[in-house]
């Protein structure tokens, strides 16, 4: 299994191109199931999760082609995918595919909306908390589907199709909002989604659905209204930039010191995280090219942060912030309210010398003068990259094991960082 070797201590300077957002790409690809015409997605990141979802969609009958490089295309440009679900031949998403990535469960909405039935394995994915799917199922029931659970599979059926309804989530859920939105787009009549997630990726998917002919109002607010249509059609959509990748590199620069332009990044997608970085002592500049981030000489100030649904501080940057705060001049506090058990990185950061204590959902991080390189193990996607950030600032060598988690969510991470002066390489085998 590949590992990543880092020799810490270098400042970062230069430019990092930000890829298309993984968390928008996955539901956008799934949205291709809603139409028998071709959906073209541009700026698709090269990630293991994208490849996996291609296999899952192909199993339902979706033809997927990848556009080749064109003259003048910049190195590492996003990919263009053409997805065509002209005929759905199989409405089962089997365990051996769904268990590898949680978001693949989301095929359930479009399948039942278009075909009147779906049989989808209960999901697996990152080992963070219990992560149930009850909200997804409640949303489908509210749109008239019947749900049964048999041998680890959810069977959803709606003879005669879904019909519009009122969906109210008790808790904000990104995935369940995607399910509700995509299903309601093809349901008969009007639907209202209350306490909807407001994440930018929801807005991106809604924008794409609108291009496909859906009638949606209020995406990006807590109440989304959808007027169902009989069919959706072809569209061409460019995936928005990845705010989690942006925030991750911003924290890496704050950690090592230096000056980096995050090309193509958009500040409005992660204002809460940029505010926290500024409070910690980094400088943030919004420019036409992207977000420039720098820290020169100043000590890192401790912060108090609570993870929240958008526009609050994202849980997907919690581990990275914790790595950063392990070097702050004082004690920081991070409260994780989205996922229980999302503190698996704590013991690995401790191996590098971080001083972190946990009390339920609250972590206290006592900043230390220096971290020291050590072998560490990646446990999930965001935790693994927090170890990379810590390693970039640690003295000596850090070897991050089990990096397949990184490949699920970060495109060409070693290359992007080493171009800015980091000593980081992938060790095969
Ligand atoms: C998405 C993101 C993930 C991010 C998370 C929260 C993608 C591909 N993944 O995951 O990176 O960390 O949002 O911003 O976009 N819940 C239930 N029942 C449900 C669904 C969720 O109780 O049916 C709970 C979860 O356990 C969690 C909370 O709701 O406590 C939020 O989870 P949710 O927003 O659904 O996360 P995902 O959509 O899976």
């Amino acid at each position: 299994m590949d590992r990543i070797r880092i020799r810490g201590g270098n400042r970062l300077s230069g430019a990092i191109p930000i890829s298309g957002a993984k968390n928008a790409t996955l539901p956008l690809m799934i949205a291709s199931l809603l139409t028998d015409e071709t959906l073209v997605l541009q700026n698709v990141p090269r990630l293991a999760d994208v490849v996996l979802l291609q296999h899952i969609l192909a199993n339902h009958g979706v033809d997927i082609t990848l556009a080749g490089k064109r003259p003048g295309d910049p190195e590492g440009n996003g990919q263009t995918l053409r997805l065509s679900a002209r005929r759905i031949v199989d409405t089962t998403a089997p365990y051996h595919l769904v268990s590898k990535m949680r978001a693949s469960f989301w095929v359930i909405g479009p399948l039942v909306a278009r075909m009147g039935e779906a049989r989808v394995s209960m999901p697996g994915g990152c080992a963070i908390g219990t992560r149930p799917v009850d909200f997804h199922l409640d949303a489908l029931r509210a749109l008239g589907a019947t749900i049964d659970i048999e041998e680890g599979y959810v069977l959803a059926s709606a003879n005669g199709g879904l019909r519009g309804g009122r969906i109210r989530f008790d808790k904000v859920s990104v995935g369940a909002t995607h399910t509700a939105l995509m299903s309601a787009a093809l349901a008969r009549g009007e639907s209202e989604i209350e306490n909807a997630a407001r994440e930018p990726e929801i807005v991106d998917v809604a924008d794409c659905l609108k291009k496909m002919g859906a009638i949606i109002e209020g995406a990006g607010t807590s109440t989304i209204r959808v007027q169902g249509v009989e069919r959706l059609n072809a569209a061409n959509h460019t995936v928005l930039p990845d705010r989690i990748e942006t925030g991750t590199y911003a924290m890496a620069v704050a950690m090592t010191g230096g000056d980096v332009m995050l090309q193509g990044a958009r500040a409005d997608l992660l204002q809460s995280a940029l505010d926290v970085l500024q409070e910690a002592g980094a400088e943030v500049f919004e420019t036409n090219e992207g977000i420039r981030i720098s820290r020169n000489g100043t000590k890192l100030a401790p912060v108090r942060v609570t993870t929240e649904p958008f526009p609050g501080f994202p849980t997907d940057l919690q581990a990275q912030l914790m790595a950063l705060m392990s070097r702050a001049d004082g004690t920081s506090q991070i409260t994780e309210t989205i996922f229980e058990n999302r503190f698996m990185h704590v013991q690995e950061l401790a191996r590098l010398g971080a001083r972190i204590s946990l009390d339920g959902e609250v972590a206290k991080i006592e900043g230390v003068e220096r971290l020291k390189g050590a072998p560490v193990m990646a446990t999930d996607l965001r935790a693994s990259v927090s170890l990379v950030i810590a390693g970039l600032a640690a003295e000596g060598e850090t070897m991050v094991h089990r990096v397949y988690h990184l490949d699920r969510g970060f495109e060409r991470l070693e290359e992007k960082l080493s171009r800015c002066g980091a000593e980081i390489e992938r060790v095969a085998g």
Side-chain angles (χ1 to χ4, degrees):
M1 229 181 278
D2 286 6
R3 290 157 290 162
I4 285 196
R5 178 168 30 222
I6 305 165
R7 285 201 78 80
N10 292 4
R11 291 161 63 81
L12 295 175
S13 68
I16 296 180
I18 297 301
S19 299
K22 170 180 93 81
N23 285 356
T25 301
L26 302 178
L28 284 166
M29 289 172 68
I30 289 172
S32 70
L33 289 168
L34 290 165
T35 173
D36 59 1
E37 296 185 14
T38 302
L39 177 64
V40 180
L41 295 178
Q42 302 192 41
N43 199 30
V44 171
R46 290 171 182 76
L47 297 173
D49 274 5
V50 170
V51 174
L52 185 60
L53 187 55
Q54 288 178 32
H55 292 306
I56 292 167
L57 293 175
N59 185 59
H60 295 303
V62 185
D63 292 327
I64 305 175
T65 57
L66 179 65
K69 195 171 172 176
R70 298 283 180 271
D73 273 359
E75 204 53 52
N77 216 17
Q79 316 175 91
T80 298
L81 284 187
R82 297 172 66 84
L83 303 105
S84 174
R86 209 162 61 82
R87 236 187 98 208
I88 292 177
V89 297
D90 192 338
T91 50
T92 293
Y95 173 75
H96 73 95
L97 293 173
V98 180
S99 59
K100 293 191 183 128
M101 181 180 55
R102 220 190 120 71
S104 51
F105 183 79
W106 304 351
V107 297
I108 194 165
L111 285 177
V112 73
R114 179 156 159 212
M115 305 299 289
E117 59 169 42
R119 182 171 172 269
V120 181
S121 169
M122 303 284 271
C126 276
I128 44 172
T130 48
R131 303 185 86 177
V133 291
D134 49 337
F135 299 158
H136 297 253
L137 305 187
D138 289 346
L140 292 171
R141 280 194 198 97
L143 300 178
T146 309
I147 306 288
D148 290 301
I149 296 183
E150 262 173 37
E151 296 169 349
Y153 280 77
V154 177
L155 312 178
S157 54
N159 290 336
L162 295 173
R163 50 167 166 71
R166 188 165 160 263
I167 300 163
R168 205 203 128 73
F169 294 119
D170 290 339
K171 187 173 172 184
V172 174
S173 161
V174 174
T177 303
H178 283 308
T179 292
L181 190 60
M182 290 196 263
S183 311
L186 279 188
R188 237 175 313 114
E190 192 175 305
S191 298
E192 188 168 278
I193 309 167
E194 288 175 40
N195 201 22
R198 290 182 282 163
E199 268 65 5
E201 292 75 21
I202 300 283
V203 179
D204 206 40
V205 170
D207 284 346
C208 177
L209 292 173
K210 285 194 239 175
K211 289 179 197 164
M212 293 164 76
I215 305 171
I216 300 169
E217 248 178 53
T221 74
S222 304
T223 306
I224 305 179
R225 282 197 188 80
V226 185
Q227 184 67 49
V229 294
E230 208 157 304
R231 60 187 306 277
L232 294 171
N233 38 53
N236 186 321
H237 185 78
T238 302
V239 180
L240 89 173
D242 196 313
R243 63 195 165 99
I244 304 304
E245 189 194 27
T246 306
T248 299
Y249 289 126
M251 292 202 196
V253 178
M255 183 70 155
T256 60
D259 195 333
V260 170
M261 173 61 77
L262 303 172
Q263 291 167 324
R266 267 173 49 192
D268 60 312
L269 302 181
L270 75 160
Q271 198 53 57
S272 61
L274 296 176
D275 290 347
V276 169
L277 279 165
Q278 278 176 311
E279 194 187 330
E283 286 189 280
V284 178
F285 310 92
E286 230 185 306
T287 75
N288 288 341
E289 200 186 337
I291 300 173
R292 199 181 125 210
I293 173 116
S294 72
R295 185 171 73 83
N296 291 305
T298 50
K299 281 197 164 178
L300 281 167
V303 296
R304 276 175 92 93
V305 167
T306 300
T307 61
E308 283 166 348
F310 190 84
F313 188 92
T315 175
D316 285 349
L317 287 174
Q318 180 256 105
Q320 297 89 316
L321 179 67
M322 194 176 291
L324 178 63
M325 286 302 113
S326 69
R327 291 276 314 279
D329 189 21
T331 302
S332 303
Q333 183 173 307
I334 302 181
T335 307
E336 171 60 59
T337 68
I338 308 292
F339 292 112
E340 71 214 60
N341 204 0
R342 200 179 211 184
F343 280 136
M344 252 103 76
H345 42 286
V346 168
Q347 57 195 29
E348 297 302 305
L349 287 171
R351 293 173 56 78
L352 301 171
R355 277 200 214 136
I356 304 167
S357 60
L358 289 180
D359 183 4
E361 57 179 23
V362 180
K364 283 211 163 64
I365 308 109
E366 202 185 314
V368 294
E369 193 74 15
R370 54 178 60 87
L371 298 174
K372 285 214 170 114
V376 285
M377 184 86 78
T379 51
D380 70 46
L381 179 52
R382 312 304 176 185
S384 14
V385 84
S386 78
L387 299 172
V388 172
I389 292 180
L392 290 174
E395 287 172 4
E397 183 177 297
T398 296
M399 186 72 93
V400 184
H401 295 264
R402 287 210 193 148
V403 296
Y404 61 86
H405 288 293
L406 276 178
D407 298 331
R408 293 187 42 212
F410 290 89
E411 181 177 343
R412 298 177 298 120
L413 172 106
E414 321 84 88
E415 192 188 316
K416 289 187 184 188
L417 283 170
S418 58
R419 281 195 182 168
C420 289
E423 219 176 300
I424 177 168
E425 60 173 354
R426 182 176 291 253
V427 185

